[in-house]
Amino acid sequence: MVSYTAGNRRIAVIGSGISGLSAAWLASRSNQVVLYEADHRLGGHSNTAIVPTAYGDIPVDTGFIVYNDKNYPNLVALFQHLNVPTIASDMSFAASIDDGRFEYSGTGLKGLLGQRLNIARPRFWRMLTDVLRFYREAEGLLKRPELEGLTLGEYLDRENYSKAFIEDHLLPMGAAIWSMTTIDMRAYPLHAFVRFFVHHGLILLKGRPRWRTVLGGSREYVSRLIADFAGEIRLSTPVARIQRMANGVIVTDKSGHADRFDDVIIATHANDALSMLGDADNLEREILGSFRYTDNVAVLHSDENLMPKRKSVWSSWNYIAGRQAVDGAPLCVTYWMNLLQDLDRRQNLFVTLNACREIREDKIVATYNYTHPLFDLSAMAAQKRIWDLQGRRNTFFCGAHFGSGFHEDGLQAGLAAAEAATGSRRPWQVADESGRIFSTPLLAAAE
């Protein structure tokens, strides 16, 4: 049972992605907070690069890029609270398969027939037929409890969906969203996959949510959040060990410096959190150890060779595949940043995840390594139990792995963890404020 004492506690927050930033920000409104970050910068996947061009410096996001007004209620409220400027974005999707021999985009009939030859291809019509079938039946699948333990791949095989639909559309879409391999996408729990598609309007042919991006890049919201943060920040300070005591916790960084705190909020990947706990118990090892992660290489560049061959199908998300797709290899996706962030089109800029073709060295701006949660049946089962860890031995956890791995999931987890640790409340009210994560209702906070 967690008890809450609002105000005047000393709290360590480990990690400065959206979960850690939001937890530290909210906790600091009534407590002393120290924010630890292993990197030399704050923000985690909110990582804006400034690209010098002949037309001026251009801010380009390389991790978190977009959100929408329907599925990101707390992020919308946070941006409004901090007066973060945003603009409309575009979330179109294209696929370029067999080195460009088969290409299409999802932007209406014109995009589907962006390669005119498609109209005469049985492969194209098989794909399109199954697209309409899957999207038509998707919402009804959530009402069938007998499918609860089924993976996406098992369901597709059982229902005899075509190879064209699976390999040319659904798995590429999943790869663009979750940055997974083909094998991992097939192992994704069916209900979780469908629920995400339904809630984000991806099964709708019209009336989809309106997507937006931060004007000037996600660095703009990070800077505003930090400006409103009342605690201490320790950059380039990785945590080596967290030791729980009878009356608090001891946090020791890699330099050997140790500090005592009343509570700790660990806002890192689950495996990193577990590695920091010098005295992890069986429940922590069982739950945190159930999450796995994938490593992805993101390259910011200007090489059009990593886009579809036909500019008529260029979209915001572009799945790129060669003639021989390697089973189990990460799927290659290129984000056209000019369209996503409404950037100057005189200089095309792209972010490619897991490049399947060589990118010209003289066109590479920067390379980043990102880690994403891998959601399988084991992880989904652990999600339902992870809130059981909150407050035990003055330790709280948060992260995007509490939900579907996206910014709103991380934000909801960070805010809920800070509320649980401090009794403070976020300065806004939205419907279903923790609806994307598994959590339990807060006990009555001390006034």
Side-chain angles (χ1 to χ4, degrees), residues 20-34:
L21 283 178
S22 59
W25 167 74
L26 182 56
S28 75
R29 296 169 73 88
S30 57
N31 299 273
Q32 301 174 47
V33 176
V34 175

Side-chain angles (χ1 to χ4, degrees), residues 125-280:
W125 292 108
R126 282 195 300 270
M127 180 195 77
L128 194 56
T129 298
D130 277 351
V131 165
L132 297 175
R133 173 191 167 197
F134 185 83
Y135 287 2
R136 182 176 63 249
E137 298 176 355
E139 194 164 3
L141 301 181
L142 298 176
K143 302 174 183 177
R144 297 174 58 185
E146 74 276 12
L147 302 178
E148 182 68 38
L150 220 57
T151 67
L152 176 63
E154 289 169 342
Y155 175 77
L156 295 173
D157 291 342
R158 195 183 78 172
E159 298 299 318
N160 295 314
Y161 276 93
S162 66
K163 185 177 180 180
F165 166 69
I166 295 171
E167 296 183 359
D168 299 348
H169 181 77
L170 200 63
L171 294 187
M173 278 280 285
I177 295 170
W178 283 286
S179 307
M180 291 185 178
T181 68
T182 303
I183 292 175
D184 291 333
M185 279 311 312
R186 291 183 64 89
Y188 204 102
L190 173 66
H191 271 187
F193 182 92
V194 172
R195 189 176 296 111
F196 184 89
F197 266 56
V198 170
H199 289 175
H200 284 74
L202 297 177
I203 65 170
L204 301 176
L205 298 181
K206 60 180 180 178
R208 291 185 171 185
R210 295 170 295 179
W211 292 87
R212 301 188 68 80
T213 188
V214 177
L215 182 64
S218 59
R219 63 177 182 156
E220 294 295 332
Y221 95 73
V222 172
S223 65
R224 283 169 170 76
L225 198 54
I226 291 304
D228 200 40
F229 170 61
E232 176 187 348
I233 297 172
R234 298 182 183 177
L235 289 174
S236 303
T237 309
V239 170
R241 182 181 175 88
I242 298 169
Q243 185 77 28
R244 277 72 63 88
M245 314 295 288
N247 59 347
V249 298
I250 302 295
V251 176
T252 305
D253 64 33
K254 287 290 178 69
S255 73
H257 178 77
D259 265 340
R260 182 198 169 278
F261 297 90
D262 294 300
D263 305 288
V264 62
I265 300 175
I266 307 176
T268 69
H269 295 314
N271 57 341
D272 293 331
L274 187 57
S275 70
M276 294 177 199
L277 296 176
D279 54 358

